[in-house]
Each structure stands twice: as C-alpha cells, then as structure tokens.
Amino acid sequence: GAQGLYNISTPVSSANARPGDLIFFDWDDEDEGQDGAADHVGIVEKVEGGIVYTVEGNSGNACRERQYAIGHAEIYGYGTPAY
C-alpha cells in the first residue's frame, strides 16, 4: 500500500518536491482520525506559489488533478521513487 511505497522512496521536503515525485497522505478519517501512516499516494505535477498540484487515482472513484496548500494537515510527506 501507500505506506510500503513511502518506506522505499527517498524522502524529500515540500520545498524540494519535483514533478514525478510522490506525495503521501494520512487521511483524517471521521471515526479514527489520523493514524500516523500513509493512506493514499499521488504524483506531484508541480509546486507553485505555496500550492502542490497532484494527479491521483481513486480520488472520488476517478483519476483527478487536485491541489493542496503546502502545509495541508493531511500531507504525510513526499518521496522520490526508485525509478
């Protein structure tokens, strides 16, 4: 899952995230809250003006472009995959 992919990626900061890097999320589930593990992964399209733009699968049962403020509470981290 997302946590396993995070574990094998090279961590990068939001300031150093580049197109093609991965963004990981720890969702704040209504009944459980955040659990300290990556629940979801997307691909960084770009970082610009304090916003990270992503492409994500399984976003409302579709593949979508999304955007988040760099400091969004559910962002778990970023990583460069081994490819």
Side-chain angles (χ1 to χ4, degrees):
Q3 185 64 46
L5 192 54
Y6 178 83
N7 292 344
I8 63 170
S9 296
T10 302
V12 295
S13 68
S14 59
N16 292 321
R18 299 174 49 115
D21 282 343
L22 303 178
I23 181 171
F24 298 91
F25 299 91
D26 179 6
W27 296 136
D28 188 0
D29 299 320
E30 290 180 21
D31 54 342
E32 299 174 15
Q34 288 178 284
D35 62 4
D39 303 315
H40 180 72
V41 62
I43 300 169
V44 174
E45 184 176 17
K46 66 181 177 178
V47 179
E48 185 176 275
I51 304 291
V52 58
Y53 296 83
T54 67
V55 176
E56 300 171 43
N58 197 23
S59 179
N61 293 320
C63 184
R64 300 177 192 259
E65 289 182 290
R66 304 286 306 264
Q67 62 187 44
Y68 304 88
I70 289 292
H72 188 277
E74 292 176 313
I75 296 175
Y76 182 76
Y78 301 83
T80 301
Y83 54 55

